[in-house]
């Protein structure tokens, strides 16, 4: 399974009041809405919602790219199991390997508990999703996210009686995927020598680990705020025999070679997300006000050499409107008309964040084993 992260505004960071007199409602109304449309129970009053700008990431395994309701089959959890510990409003939720809900150690899973439509003062519609964490059979809505953009900070959204809709059965949310990119200025190895990625053009060749020189089919560029979850990861010069610092987005996958990987996963070469390598010494997060990220796509998923380190090209599985935007997606579809129907394979086995951290921990505890990133 893939590993995904969604970002929520915790229940303690959401205020709900009646529109007449601004009287507060039941403080647990967001959790109680798991039993039905608790927002409509305030009739005849409409409700005003205000949200903190603080978000919390919840990371879980994912089989289908969506956050759904009731990811269970009988007594077993079959999807959306929590994979990273998370503290929400003073409670820590810790993942485990259990899948049977009545097991001695209750499995911890994440759900799309319900969805409700809210409106801003201009009449724009937002779909708010109640996100719950279930331990065994005990479920709590820990916060909300949105299907699409979060409301701007300071915006008040309204539940309008008789207009807003509620759904608590079978709903799904497409999970946004963060971009997988190189930071502008990164040197990419070509047959003619290293070249900064922003100077590469479609049709130029790059050196790849799997297929020697390959032509670039598409390059995309996007600037984002790099102060939060999209802050670049820096692999400092010399950390893995790289002569210069390498900056990539947190989920950009890097080739790792290890005999322990062979023992644990049956593959001596695996792909790990850059964020799994962070040790606050040689691999660090580098927040910046603006991160200028670039994508590079070949005919097939492959590894190029960036600052001498083998790192992935854009994988078709990551191409969504949420990442690239409509213009970039339209351009890609013009180049690859069958893109929506293409099913690429990753060039190497892809480890989740949890698996990568498990592997790196085992390596650090083992004598005589080495981990290095493939270099040109």
């Amino acid at each position: 399974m893939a590993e995904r992260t969604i970002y929520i505004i915790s229940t303690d960071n959401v205020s709900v009041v009646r529109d007449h007199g601004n009287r507060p409602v039941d403080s647990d109304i967001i959790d109680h809405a798991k039993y039905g449309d608790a927002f409509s129970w305030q009739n005849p009053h409409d409700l005003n919602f205000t949200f903190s700008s603080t978000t919390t990431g919840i990371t879980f395994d994912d089989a289908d790219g969506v956050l759904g309701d009731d990811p269970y089959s009988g007594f077993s959890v079959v999807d959306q199991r929590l994979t990273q510990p998370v503290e929400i409003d003073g409670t820590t939720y810790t993942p485990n390997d259990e899948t049977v809900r009545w097991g001695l150690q209750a499995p911890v899973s994440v759900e799309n508990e319900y969805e409700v439509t809210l409106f801003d003062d201009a009449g724009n519609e937002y779909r708010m999703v109640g996100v719950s964490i279930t331990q065994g059979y005990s479920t709590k809505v820990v916060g909300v996210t949105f299907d699409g953009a979060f409301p701007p900070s300071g915006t008040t959204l309204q539940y309008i009686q008789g207009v807003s809709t509620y759904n608590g059965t079978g709903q799904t949310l497409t999970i946004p995927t963060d971009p997988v990119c190189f930071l502008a200025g990164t040197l990419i190895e070509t047959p003619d020598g290293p070249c900064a990625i922003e100077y590469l053009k479609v049709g130029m060749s790059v050196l790849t680990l799997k297929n020697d020189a390959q032509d670039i089919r598409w390059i995309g560029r996007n600037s984002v705020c790099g102060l939060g979850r999209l802050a670049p990861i820096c692999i400092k010069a010399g950390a893995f025999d790289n002569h210069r610092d390498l900056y990539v987005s947190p989920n950009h996958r890097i080739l790792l070679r290890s005999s322990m990987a062979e023992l644990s996963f049956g593959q001596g070469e695996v792909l790990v997300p850059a964020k799994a390598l962070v040790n606050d010494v040689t691999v660090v997060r580098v927040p910046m006000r603006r991160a200028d990220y670039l994508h590079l796509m070949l005919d097939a998923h492959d590894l190029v050499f960036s600052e001498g380190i083998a790192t992935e090209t854009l994988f078709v599985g990551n191409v969504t409107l949420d990442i690239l935007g409509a213009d970039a997606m339209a351009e890609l579809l013009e180049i690859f008309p069958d893109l929506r129907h293409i099913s690429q394979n990753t060039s190497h086995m892809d480890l989740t964040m949890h698996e990568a951290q498990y592997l790196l921990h085992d390596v650090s505890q083992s004598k005589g084993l080495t981990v290095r990133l493939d270099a040109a």
Side-chain angles (χ1 to χ4, degrees):
M1 288 189 183
E3 189 173 53
R4 307 287 190 189
T5 300
I6 60 168
Y7 293 86
I8 67 164
I9 302 172
S10 70
T11 53
D12 282 0
N13 286 308
V14 182
S15 171
V16 189
V17 298
R18 296 185 180 92
D19 61 347
H20 297 297
N22 288 331
R23 291 178 296 168
V25 301
D26 173 9
S27 61
D28 292 328
I29 191 171
I30 289 177
D31 181 48
H32 289 169
K34 68 192 176 191
Y35 301 119
D37 189 1
F39 310 112
S40 69
W41 301 342
Q42 303 298 318
N43 192 45
H45 298 288
D46 296 337
L47 301 179
N48 293 332
F49 290 72
T50 56
F51 306 89
S52 165
S53 59
T54 301
T55 60
T56 301
I58 302 177
T59 303
F60 52 93
D61 61 21
D62 168 64
D64 54 11
V66 299
L67 180 69
D69 184 27
D70 296 331
Y72 312 115
S73 176
F75 299 116
S76 297
V77 181
V78 295
D79 196 8
Q80 299 171 194
R81 288 191 307 127
L82 192 72
T83 58
Q84 296 291 311
V86 60
E87 182 178 344
I88 303 173
D89 294 340
T91 300
T92 299
Y93 299 91
T94 304
N96 57 61
D97 294 329
E98 184 60 72
T99 59
V100 179
R101 298 181 74 185
W102 44 260
L104 294 178
Q105 190 176 36
V108 185
S109 56
V110 186
E111 296 180 58
N112 178 338
E113 198 64 37
Y114 59 80
E115 297 175 353
V116 62
T117 55
L118 305 177
F119 300 88
D120 65 14
D121 289 338
N124 297 309
E125 181 178 313
Y126 290 81
R127 187 155 70 121
M128 185 177 76
V129 177
V131 178
S132 64
I133 291 182
T134 298
Q135 301 182 89
Y137 288 95
S138 176
T139 298
K140 179 175 177 57
V141 179
V142 294
V144 300
T145 189
F146 289 85
D147 185 1
F150 278 62
S153 179
T155 300
T156 296
L157 299 185
Q158 303 167 43
Y159 179 96
I160 302 176
Q161 298 289 348
V163 178
S164 292
T165 60
Y166 170 95
N167 183 28
T169 304
Q171 62 281 352
T172 60
L173 168 71
T174 299
I175 302 167
T177 307
D178 289 336
V180 176
C181 316
F182 301 96
L183 196 68
T186 300
L187 296 182
I188 305 295
E189 202 67 34
T190 77
D192 298 319
C195 178
I197 188 170
E198 62 268 31
Y199 296 119
L200 293 174
K201 305 293 183 185
V202 171
M204 293 177 63
S205 294
V206 291
L207 295 180
T208 68
L209 179 68
K210 188 175 180 181
N211 294 306
D212 300 323
Q214 293 290 309
D215 290 344
I216 299 171
R217 296 297 308 278
W218 179 85
I219 293 178
R221 188 168 187 162
N222 191 27
S223 294
V224 301
C225 176
L227 296 176
R229 72 177 192 272
L230 298 183
I233 303 297
C234 174
I235 300 174
K236 293 185 178 181
F240 298 103
D241 296 329
N242 48 314
H243 297 300
R244 294 178 8 127
D245 293 348
L246 170 63
Y247 292 86
V248 294
S249 59
N251 286 312
H252 202 131
R253 291 175 290 195
I254 292 170
L255 183 67
L256 183 148
R257 283 180 171 170
S258 167
S259 55
M260 184 61 76
E262 179 77 39
L263 292 173
S264 299
F265 303 103
Q267 300 286 335
E269 297 182 340
V270 292
L271 294 174
V272 300
K275 62 188 180 183
L277 299 170
V278 171
N279 57 20
D280 296 325
V281 180
T282 59
V283 184
V284 298
R285 291 182 179 272
V286 183
M288 54 184 65
R289 185 173 297 277
R290 170 174 164 164
D292 198 10
Y293 281 133
L294 291 97
H295 310 269
L296 183 157
M297 187 172 178
L298 309 179
D299 279 323
H301 184 251
D302 211 326
L303 300 173
V304 295
F305 297 102
S306 55
E307 307 296 356
I309 293 175
T311 48
E312 70 171 329
T313 59
L314 186 65
F315 178 53
V316 167
N318 292 331
V319 178
T320 68
L321 291 173
D322 289 332
I323 298 174
L324 300 177
D327 290 343
M329 193 65 184
E331 180 183 331
L332 263 178
L333 287 172
E334 185 175 349
I335 300 170
F336 302 96
D338 296 325
L339 182 63
R340 293 188 185 277
H341 309 293
I342 292 175
S343 179
Q344 276 192 351
N345 295 317
T346 55
S347 63
H348 291 74
M349 183 178 183
D350 175 26
L351 299 191
T352 67
M353 181 73 170
H354 179 67
E355 290 170 337
Q357 290 178 331
Y358 165 79
L359 173 62
L360 292 167
H361 177 268
D362 277 1
V363 168
S364 68
Q365 299 297 314
S366 301
K367 302 293 185 181
L369 291 177
T370 60
V371 173
R372 72 177 182 85
L373 303 186
D374 202 356

